[in-house]
Structures are given as C-alpha cells and as structure tokens.
Amino acid sequence: MSQSDWHRLLSSKRFGLEEFHDHRKDGRTEFQRDYDRLIFSAPFRRLQNKTQVFPLPGSIFVHNRLTHSLEVSSVGRSLATNIARQLELKYQKENLPGYFSEIGSIVAAGCLAHDMGNPPFGHSGEKAIATYFSEGKGKVLREKFSEAQWNDFISFEGNANAFRLLTHQFNGRRQGGFVLTYATLASIVKYPYSSAHSGGKQKFGFFLSERESFARIADDMGLMRLTDDPPKYARHPLVYPVEAADDICYQIMDLEDAYKLKLLSTEEVKQLLLGFFPEEKHSRIQETMNLVTDVNEQIAYLRSRIIGILIDECADVFVKNETLILAGKFQGCLMDYISPEIAEAYNACSKTAFKKIYKSPDVLEIELAGYQIISTLLDKLIDAVLYPEKAYSKLLLNRIPEQYEINSDDPYIQVQSVLDFVSGMTDLYALDLYRKITGMSLPAL
C-alpha cells in the first residue's frame, strides 16, 4: 500500500447505499453527517444511563458512557487534526491536502461510536455475556451452534457489537443500519478479524454474521488481507487515533472521578499528574494552579495540560510511523511509542487506577450485580426465544421489541437477537426488567 492510497482509505461511500454514492455539495461533508447522525441516535443517547467505570452517579457526578464518548470524540478530533496538519505539510507537493482535511471529522465520529455496542454495567457486562455461555447455564446450548458461532458467544466483544449495531438491518429498519461512511465504520474496528482469530479472548472486530459486511468495506478501501479463511485484515490507519483518544481519556478522567469519590487524595492525584512534567517545570505549574483556590479547578488544569501533551505525542508517533501504518506493519498502539518520561507517568497512573479504582468496593459491587442481572436476563430470554410454545415464554416474548429477529428459524440469529436486546439496555432498564421477571418488583395494583 502506498501513500497515494489515502483517497481509498478516506472513502465517503455509505454502507447500504453504495449505488447512490455521490459527492453532495452543501454545508456538511459526508463525515460530518456521520457525526450528526450518531449524536441524534437513540442508541447513543442511551449511553447516558450506562456505566463507564463507577456506578451511575448519586450526589456526585462521574463519567458515564455518554460523557466518556463525547470527551473521547473531542480528544480524537484534536489528535486527528494535529495528524492532518502534519500530513498536509508532508504531502503538500502531491495534491492530497483535500483528503486530510476530513480526518478530524472521521475520527470524531468514530470516537462517538466506539462504545455504542457495549452492554450495561461497564466492561463487566461483556464478561457477563461471554461467561454465561462459557461457564454459566448457557453451556448447555453448545451443540446447537457451529464452532465459529459459539466463539462469537463465549468471546462476546463490545467492539464487534458496535459494528453490528451500526451495520445490521434490524426488522423495520433500513438496509445498511446507520448507513455510515466506509471510513467511519472502519475507524472503530480495532481488531479487524472475527472471533476465530481471537484465541478465546474478548478481542475481535466483527461477528460471523457481519463478516461479509466488513470484508466488503475493507476490500473496497484496500485494507491488506493478512489471511483469507477466515479473513484477517490490517487495521485502518484511523483506528490508531480513535484508540489513542480512548486510552488518553479513560486513564486520566478515571483519576479525576476517583478524586471526586474520595478514592484518591488530593495529594495523590496531583503527584500523579505532575509526573507528566519535568521537575524544572513544577514550580511554574504550581504558580499557575495557585491562581485559583478551587482544588477541582487545579486538577482540571493539570488534566487539560496532560491531554494536550498526550495528543502531541500520539500525533508525532502516527506521522513518524505512517509508512508502517499504511503497510499494515505497525505493531501495538500509538501510546506504546510515546517518550519514556511521559510513558512512565502514564504507567504510574495505570498502576494506581488498577489498585485503587478498578478494585474498589463500589466498582466490584456494580460488576457483581451486573453479572447476576445479565445472566438472569439471558437465561430467561434465550429460553423463551428457543422454546416459544411455553406459556411463560409467550408472556416474556411480548417484552422484546419487534425490531429483533426472535422468530428466525436459525438458533444463532435468535440468540444474537437476545444479545442485541440485552446489550442495548441501559443499566436501569436491565435492573428494572430483572426485578420484574424475578418477581422482586410488581406493578402497582
């Protein structure tokens, strides 16, 4: 793949409407349309009631999936704009600038969409679905599915589910799902292969049901095929800034949330954040922080400075390694190649987060609750879908919206439809349905 293939990689062709592909001349580009379409969608709005790390806020506001996605999108746009500016200079003699101007919009849209396939209750929701089939009551269903289909279930992945949500034609909906551009869709697929290549881990980019859809997009854009059967591709280049923006936000913002919840002291957070700056700059930074007395504002100032540093670092890594990225030979992620001093500070934050945040009682309690709720919902709903003749099944099936293909003759499609329904739930809806079907909550009489 040569540098001149950027025009294929930044394809504005829309999935599901390829025959109508044209270049409209109005105030918005096709990639800006992607962004707007995602912002106004119901699945995106539902992210406001999905856990990011901490339980949904009570008196103290912490990040949910929606605020996280908006912040990742903001950082992603800045990072991609930085990359575009450098690429404009690099290729100013090759008449490519028009393509690079849209990188910011593509990455911003990809960042908005990157978590839309995640189930309720944070990352534990993904594990709860996967372990229901690999360790829980779902194990008895194994004989109904091929190995490839079973791998999709026991390795359930929010990234793959996002691609399905955005591209699948649900009942009553239009062909092509969200009908996003090829470039935006490709930018969210961190692992461009099916569960057959995941090695039993929750890292793959599309389910068996969407394999042909991704192949259509990838082949049209010229992504390198690393294997043919089953197909495995090199990443789209813009996956890297989408991934980096996510890495930057969740690590730094989790510290800020932990401080507000008093899991970390003021001094702990300040020392971790000051670690991103050389010792000789600490006094000047402290002087700037002292201009305000609000500690929250001081920490926000440090956070904004650090995000700017990480954006610059990751943009430089991308541009320096652009040839390898385009050739599909770049290994790891952009954050793996930032300067040693910055990497050391980032790793210190990661270690503290793992020890004091992700293992905190509040986080563990929401994970435990999520496992119980999701496992119960799957057990009841899958049984109802596979055995609809039961009296209880008929009652329960009335709760599943018509857009889901529960009446299919294919058990794989039926179970996928249940996963579509459950993964689309908010935390509160899942909890409410769990209480009702277990008899813990009754309607007012």
Side-chain angles (χ1 to χ4, degrees):
M1 184 180 291
S2 66
Q3 284 81 355
S4 61
D5 286 315
W6 270 110
H7 72 282
R8 292 182 69 186
L9 292 166
L10 305 184
S11 172
S12 62
K13 189 179 294 186
R14 292 197 171 277
F15 183 77
L17 289 180
E18 289 86 351
E19 66 272 27
F20 301 110
H21 179 56
D22 60 6
H23 296 281
R24 285 180 282 197
K25 305 293 184 182
D26 59 22
R28 292 183 298 164
T29 68
E30 295 301 325
F31 307 117
Q32 291 168 345
R33 290 175 184 275
D34 283 349
Y35 184 93
D36 296 344
R37 188 168 295 181
L38 290 163
I39 279 280
F40 285 93
S41 70
F44 184 74
R45 289 195 299 273
R46 285 198 293 270
L47 294 178
Q48 70 181 311
N49 276 322
K50 287 192 176 187
T51 297
Q52 172 63 18
V53 173
F54 300 103
L56 293 176
S59 58
I60 298 174
F61 183 82
V62 293
H63 288 82
N64 53 43
R65 287 278 178 196
L66 181 71
T67 51
H68 169 72
S69 297
L70 289 168
E71 289 174 350
V72 173
S73 183
S74 176
V75 171
R77 185 187 296 277
S78 296
L79 172 54
T81 300
N82 189 321
I83 291 170
R85 185 168 56 248
Q86 294 189 56
L87 292 179
E88 293 267 6
L89 292 173
K90 183 176 179 179
Y91 293 114
Q92 58 185 335
K93 296 180 179 179
E94 297 186 31
N95 197 29
L96 286 177
Y99 295 111
F100 298 131
S101 64
E102 287 302 317
I103 287 178
S105 295
I106 297 169
V107 171
C111 290
L112 281 185
H114 83 284
D115 268 354
M116 284 177 64
N118 281 56
F121 306 110
H123 290 294
S124 64
E126 291 175 278
K127 295 177 184 176
I129 292 174
T131 54
Y132 171 78
F133 295 101
S134 63
E135 301 174 8
K137 294 182 179 180
K139 286 178 70 175
V140 300
L141 302 173
R142 173 65 185 89
E143 64 183 22
K144 292 180 178 291
F145 306 102
S146 69
E147 182 178 357
Q149 292 171 338
W150 189 245
N151 281 337
D152 282 353
F153 298 149
I154 64 173
S155 304
F156 181 87
E157 225 279 353
N159 190 252
N161 201 47
F163 185 77
R164 173 175 170 80
L165 173 67
L166 296 172
T167 58
H168 182 68
Q169 183 179 9
F170 292 94
N171 287 338
R173 306 298 174 88
R174 62 180 172 178
Q175 182 181 351
F178 277 57
V179 196
L180 298 178
T181 62
Y182 279 18
T184 296
L185 287 170
S187 75
I188 70 164
V189 183
K190 290 170 64 175
Y191 314 107
Y193 46 81
S194 70
S195 59
H197 288 290
S198 71
K201 299 177 181 178
Q202 289 176 272
K203 290 188 176 182
F204 62 98
F206 47 86
F207 298 122
L208 181 65
S209 50
E210 280 70 55
R211 188 170 76 177
E212 291 184 7
S213 296
F214 184 79
R216 190 166 95 211
I217 293 169
D219 291 339
D220 187 83
M221 300 179 81
L223 296 184
M224 185 180 300
R225 274 206 186 208
L226 304 178
T227 65
D228 284 323
D229 191 22
K232 182 177 183 179
Y233 290 86
R235 281 178 162 190
H236 188 285
L238 296 188
V239 168
Y240 291 100
V242 171
E243 179 183 44
D246 190 28
D247 289 343
I248 291 169
C249 286
Y250 83 74
Q251 198 64 265
I252 303 304
M253 302 312 299
D254 286 353
L255 290 179
E256 194 167 355
D257 282 349
Y259 164 72
K260 291 178 180 178
L261 293 171
K262 302 189 184 307
L263 295 175
L264 296 174
S265 69
T266 303
E267 193 57 33
E268 280 180 299
V269 175
K270 283 186 176 180
Q271 288 306 309
L272 284 169
L273 298 182
L274 284 170
F276 285 87
F277 304 94
E279 191 79 33
E280 60 270 19
K281 289 189 177 182
H282 285 195
S283 58
R284 178 62 184 272
I285 291 171
Q286 191 64 54
E287 288 177 12
T288 304
M289 284 197 296
N290 290 339
L291 294 174
V292 296
T293 57
D294 188 326
V295 177
N296 290 327
E297 283 297 305
Q298 292 178 345
I299 290 174
Y301 164 73
L302 289 174
R303 177 250 300 156
S304 65
R305 287 282 306 270
I306 290 163
I307 288 175
I309 290 169
L310 292 172
I311 285 173
D312 289 343
E313 289 270 334
C314 289
D316 289 346
V317 170
F318 184 97
V319 175
K320 287 175 184 176
N321 292 278
E322 184 213 5
T323 301
L324 289 175
I325 289 171
L326 289 175
K329 295 179 180 180
F330 184 74
Q331 300 296 315
C333 61
L334 299 181
M335 291 292 289
D336 292 337
Y337 298 89
I338 60 178
S339 59
E341 300 80 10
I342 303 299
E344 183 179 354
Y346 184 84
N347 291 334
C349 293
S350 298
K351 290 176 182 177
T352 300
F354 183 80
K355 182 179 178 180
K356 294 193 174 184
I357 298 177
Y358 307 138
K359 297 298 181 183
S360 69
D362 284 348
V363 172
L364 293 177
E365 283 170 10
I366 199 70
E367 289 184 357
L368 288 170
Y371 265 86
Q372 180 64 27
I373 293 167
I374 287 178
S375 296
T376 301
L377 292 179
L378 291 179
D379 197 43
K380 301 292 186 182
L381 292 168
I382 290 175
D383 185 73
V385 166
L386 295 180
Y387 306 102
E389 69 281 357
K390 295 179 180 180
Y392 182 69
S393 295
K394 293 176 182 177
L395 290 172
L396 197 52
L397 292 177
N398 288 329
R399 292 300 304 262
I400 302 179
E402 293 182 357
Q403 72 189 73
Y404 301 113
E405 301 165 79
I406 59 173
N407 296 318
S408 172
D409 294 328
D410 185 342
Y412 175 66
I413 294 176
Q414 290 179 301
V415 172
Q416 269 198 317
S417 296
V418 172
L419 297 183
D420 291 333
F421 179 41
V422 172
S423 64
M425 294 178 181
T426 64
D427 293 17
L428 297 178
Y429 183 89
L431 174 60
D432 181 61
L433 184 58
Y434 167 78
R435 285 173 170 167
K436 287 176 178 174
I437 67 176
T438 56
M440 294 171 61
S441 174
L442 295 174
L445 298 176

